[in-house]
């Protein structure tokens, strides 16, 4: 059996450890020893990107925000679905995650960061949304932390509050869409989205393409 190899380590802004591992050609990122994401379990991230841009693929010069780079799978489907006139802002909290993608994960999805449509912003997406301009984006695709129940940064939870959701809605252009990754059903989160004025739908997402059970949920919120 091939060993699991530690490639790189870093810390979050709160000082918690994050690690990048390789095992038999697959990659994973762990937080405080718990696996956050794995390159062999990317079906939900791919679906998130697809659902996030579903309503804007024919929009002229679409502008998209992706909150959370991870291993780059959501970025992959967003770029595949949009034309050459799109702009995709990728907002990532941990600068080392961007560095890992460029240095160690280039053959996975890291090379996509060099796509001329991509603008990488190393920042806290929660603060970025709170301080940004109204009606800036056609789509906002948010895979921040572990969904409505955060693991990495406690303040990430504010993104999923009434106040945070109102800020997301403010940033969307009329007819725009926000898409959220969630580790499971969250009826309270759905109710909050509806309360701030979104039209909400959801689709279940598998961990692996061949999984029998869809463990995760993608929420779509249309303005």
């Amino acid at each position: 059996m091939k060993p699991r190899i530690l490639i790189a380590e870093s810390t979050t802004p709160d000082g918690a450890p994050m690690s990048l591992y390789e095992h038999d050609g697959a990659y994973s990122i762990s937080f405080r020893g718990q696996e956050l994401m794995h390159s062999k379990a990317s079906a939900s991230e791919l679906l998130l990107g697809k659902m996030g841009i579903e309503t804007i693929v024919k929009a002229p010069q679409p502008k998209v925000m992706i909150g959370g780079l991870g291993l780059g799978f959501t970025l992959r489907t967003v770029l595949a679905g949009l034309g050459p006139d799109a702009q995709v802002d990728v907002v990532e909290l941990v600068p080392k995650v961007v560095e890992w993608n460029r240095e160690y994960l280039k053959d996975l999805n890291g090379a996509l960061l060099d796509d001329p449509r991509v603008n990488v912003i190393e920042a806290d997406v929660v603060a970025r949304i709170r301080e940004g301009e109204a009606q800036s984006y056609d789509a906002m695709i948010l895979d921040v932390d572990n969904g409505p129940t955060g693991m990495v940064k406690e303040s990430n939870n504010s993104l999923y509050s009434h106040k945070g959701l109102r800020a997301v809605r403010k940033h969307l252009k009329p007819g725009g869409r926000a898409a959220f990754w969630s580790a499971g059903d969250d009826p309270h989160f759905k109710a909050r989205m509806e309360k701030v004025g979104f039209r909400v739908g959801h689709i279940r997402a598998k961990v692996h393409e061949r999984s029998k059970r869809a463990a995760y949920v993608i929420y779509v919120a249309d303005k």
Side-chain angles (χ1 to χ4, degrees), residues 40-81:
K40 295 294 187 183
S42 60
S44 65
E45 288 89 348
L46 293 166
L47 182 60
L48 176 66
K50 179 180 178 181
M51 296 302 297
I53 63 168
E54 182 184 39
T55 59
I56 66 159
V57 289
K58 295 184 179 179
Q61 297 181 317
K63 188 175 180 182
V64 178
M65 173 192 281
I66 297 177
L69 171 60
L71 296 173
F73 287 99
T74 297
L75 177 61
R76 180 196 290 186
T77 48
V78 167
L79 292 176

Side-chain angles (χ1 to χ4, degrees), residues 4 17 19 21 29-37 146 151:
R4 185 171 180 243
S19 306
Y21 290 93
I29 293 178
S30 296
F31 170 73
R32 285 181 174 158
Q34 183 174 348
E35 189 173 281
L36 274 181
M37 59 198 77
N146 203 41
M151 285 174 56

